[in-house]
């Protein structure tokens, strides 16, 4: 598993934005990390979505104290794994939203 984080804003309390997807499309995810863009990227294996455990670790790692938005592309595996990660009972975060081209942003179940 690989995670990347924009260190320039590491200490700020704000909503973090992460995205991820299968590797092999570089610099698809890591290329969008920066000020005013993604805070972190969660890549999966070659042409494979990151799994829910990887996404959960990335979410927890990137959280800046105000919640996390998952920016998810309209690929079935990405949508499924980001949703599972966000809604699993083991989730430690309660302020996590999904923004997807497939649907409107939805808050995590509480």
């Amino acid at each position: 598993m690989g995670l990347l984080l924009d260190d320039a804003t590491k200490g700020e309390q704000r909503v973090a934005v992460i995205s991820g997807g299968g590797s092999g499309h570089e610099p698809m995810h890591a290329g969008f990390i920066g000020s005013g863009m993604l805070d972190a990227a969660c890549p999966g294996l070659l042409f494979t979505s990151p799994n829910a455990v990887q996404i959960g670790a990335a979410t927890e790692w990137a959280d800046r104290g105000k919640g996390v938005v998952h920016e998810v592309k309209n690929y079935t595996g990405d949508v499924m794994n980001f949703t599972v990660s966000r809604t699993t009972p083991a989730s430690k975060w309660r302020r996590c939203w999904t923004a997807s081209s497939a649907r409107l942003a939805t808050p995590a179940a509480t």
Side-chain angles (χ1 to χ4, degrees), residues 1-5 19-21 23 33 40-45 50 54-55 57-58 61:
M1 171 175 69
L3 300 170
L4 298 172
L5 179 70
S19 189
S23 296
I33 294 174
C42 182
L45 298 175
Q54 291 171 302
I55 297 164
W61 187 66

Side-chain angles (χ1 to χ4, degrees), residues 8-99:
T9 60
K10 192 171 185 176
E12 292 180 23
Q13 286 262 322
R14 62 180 180 77
V15 175
V17 180
I18 71 169
S19 189
S23 296
H25 306 288
E26 280 73 23
M28 180 58 190
H29 305 101
F32 290 111
I33 294 174
S35 181
M37 296 172 51
L38 293 179
D39 293 290
C42 182
L45 298 175
L46 187 63
F47 304 124
T48 305
S49 298
N51 64 46
V53 173
Q54 291 171 302
I55 297 164
T59 301
E60 187 174 347
W61 187 66
D63 190 2
R64 309 280 171 93
K66 299 288 185 180
V68 178
V69 171
H70 291 160
E71 190 286 313
V72 184
K73 274 85 52 218
N74 194 19
Y75 172 70
T76 303
D78 292 340
V79 172
M80 178 183 69
N81 289 335
F82 273 88
T83 300
V84 167
S85 175
R86 180 178 52 84
T87 60
T88 184
S91 298
K92 295 176 184 160
W93 52 90
R94 286 290 152 228
R95 292 188 296 188
C96 182
W97 301 269
T98 300

